[in-house]
Amino acid sequence: MIKAVLFDFAGTLFGRPTHPWLSARHLAVLRAPAPFVARMNAAERAVWDARDLTALANRAAHWTLFRLAGLTMTDDVFQRLHNPAFWLPYADTAAALERARPLKVGVLSNVSWDIRTLFRRESLDVDAFLLSYEIGVSKPSPRAFETACVRFDVSPEECLFVGDDPVADGAAVKAGLRFAQISTAPVGRRTPVLLEALAQHGIS
């Protein structure tokens, strides 16, 4: 029996619509960084792997990512990437969070800044936030999922994780959780995949 539902943040509950200050090339690299990550040396890869544990590591990691892609990252661009004003909820986010009640509902996210202000702005209520920079571990480490289960006082098999990343989010299965992978798209273009994912697991 499912007693708790955990959601990923970026690409799952909230997204970044295209803005004039963020080029299509920058956006493409952010959405598919793997080819450039593969070109990082050992030191750069270590920083990349720790990018969601501190703001400093996050900035250094993205500076390296864009450099390897032949792009620049100004301080203004970096600050805007982490500015709540440039993050919007998907059309089905509020309905999905409401649908998940009366189960325990939380957000487990690889992120180096406090996203709670976004949920307050949109009047979205969850029981707990487990943010990598606060809990000291990021997905796909099983410890991230185990920490969430402990916080909710549920066993892994009683928890459903909903996310868009087959690697980071999909690691929930290795930790013993149920996993619902959704497709993602820019805000305004995505179908109600969250509601469909919940329904597939008997939450409707």
Side-chain angles (χ1 to χ4, degrees), residues 8-150:
D8 172 48
F9 166 67
T12 299
L13 293 179
F14 280 75
R16 281 186 298 239
T18 302
H19 290 284
W21 52 267
L22 187 64
S23 73
R25 179 62 174 157
H26 280 81
L27 194 59
V29 171
L30 285 171
R31 288 178 175 160
F36 310 104
V37 174
R39 292 168 49 193
M40 294 180 180
N41 60 37
E44 292 168 341
R45 182 57 188 264
V47 174
W48 176 259
D49 289 342
R51 68 191 181 282
D52 293 314
L53 299 182
T54 69
L56 182 62
N58 195 276
R59 187 187 187 287
H62 282 91
W63 185 89
T64 299
L65 176 72
F66 288 137
R67 176 179 58 80
L68 291 174
L71 302 169
T72 59
M73 185 190 72
T74 64
D75 286 336
D76 181 59
V77 166
F78 181 74
Q79 293 301 324
R80 291 189 185 211
L81 288 175
H82 298 77
N83 187 330
F86 297 104
W87 287 86
L88 297 174
Y90 285 98
D92 57 345
T93 293
L97 293 176
E98 183 177 352
R99 179 78 56 85
R101 298 295 185 180
L103 304 175
K104 299 175 182 178
V105 179
V107 175
L108 172 60
S109 174
N110 287 354
V111 67
S112 63
W113 53 286
D114 193 350
I115 60 176
R116 293 176 181 86
T117 182
L118 289 168
F119 287 77
R120 290 193 295 267
R121 184 191 71 196
E122 302 295 333
S123 299
L124 300 173
D125 183 45
V126 299
D127 297 314
F129 290 89
L130 295 107
L131 311 181
S132 57
Y133 82 98
E134 292 181 334
I135 64 176
V137 63
S138 57
K139 302 170 292 182
S141 170
R143 286 175 48 216
F145 301 99
E146 292 164 359
T147 298
C149 290
V150 170

